[in-house]
Amino acid sequence: MIATMARITFAFVLLMVSSPATVHAQDVPGIEICTVEKTMERRTSCLQSNVDFLQKTITKLTTDHQQKVDAANRQIEALKGAVVSLQKVVSDMQAEQKKAAAPAAKDAAPAAKDAAPAKDGAK
């Protein structure tokens, strides 16, 4: 058991020693402070890098927002279609209701004429 642990520890140490000691920094895109650069070439390169980063960011944001606007416009058009169909359903229902109310009103009007007038003497 101890021999196994010793082998595992030795293998781990061997892997750690064999790996390169220096790690290279990666260039992460973003805004850099260019005023710290001493030479004009490095300062110009830094500024150009900032300009490129900002242009890419603006392009990406423009594309994203245009896609959102297009999706919203499609949704608005779909909702307009739904409103038009609902308005048609409501107008059809109102027309049917008027048709149903018209014969009932004709039947109720003659019945009121046939009824005897109320006497005023009932006080």
Side-chain angles (χ1 to χ4, degrees):
M1 179 81 167
I2 295 175
T4 306
M5 287 294 281
R7 287 183 183 156
I8 292 173
T9 305
F10 178 74
F12 180 74
V13 170
L14 185 61
L15 285 173
M16 294 302 289
V17 171
S18 66
S19 65
T22 59
V23 177
H24 298 285
Q26 294 180 347
D27 187 25
V28 178
I31 301 295
E32 301 175 21
I33 301 172
C34 300
T35 56
V36 298
E37 299 295 338
K38 301 292 181 207
T39 63
M40 187 58 86
E41 292 84 18
R42 288 185 59 108
R43 190 174 286 190
T44 304
S45 174
C46 178
L47 290 171
Q48 186 60 47
S49 174
N50 286 349
V51 169
D52 291 342
F53 172 75
L54 290 173
Q55 285 178 339
K56 287 178 185 176
T57 302
I58 289 171
T59 302
K60 181 180 178 291
L61 289 174
T62 302
T63 304
D64 290 347
H65 286 104
Q66 187 60 47
Q67 289 174 350
K68 288 179 183 179
V69 167
D70 291 343
N73 285 336
R74 285 191 299 272
Q75 188 176 15
I76 288 170
E77 291 303 318
L79 291 172
K80 282 181 182 177
V83 167
V84 167
S85 66
L86 289 173
Q87 285 174 337
K88 184 180 181 314
V89 168
V90 167
S91 65
D92 290 347
M93 290 177 73
Q94 287 174 342
E96 287 179 22
Q97 197 173 29
K98 285 180 183 177
K99 286 180 185 177
K106 287 180 183 177
D107 292 340
K113 288 181 182 178
D114 293 338
K119 294 186 181 180
D120 292 335
K123 283 190 180 180

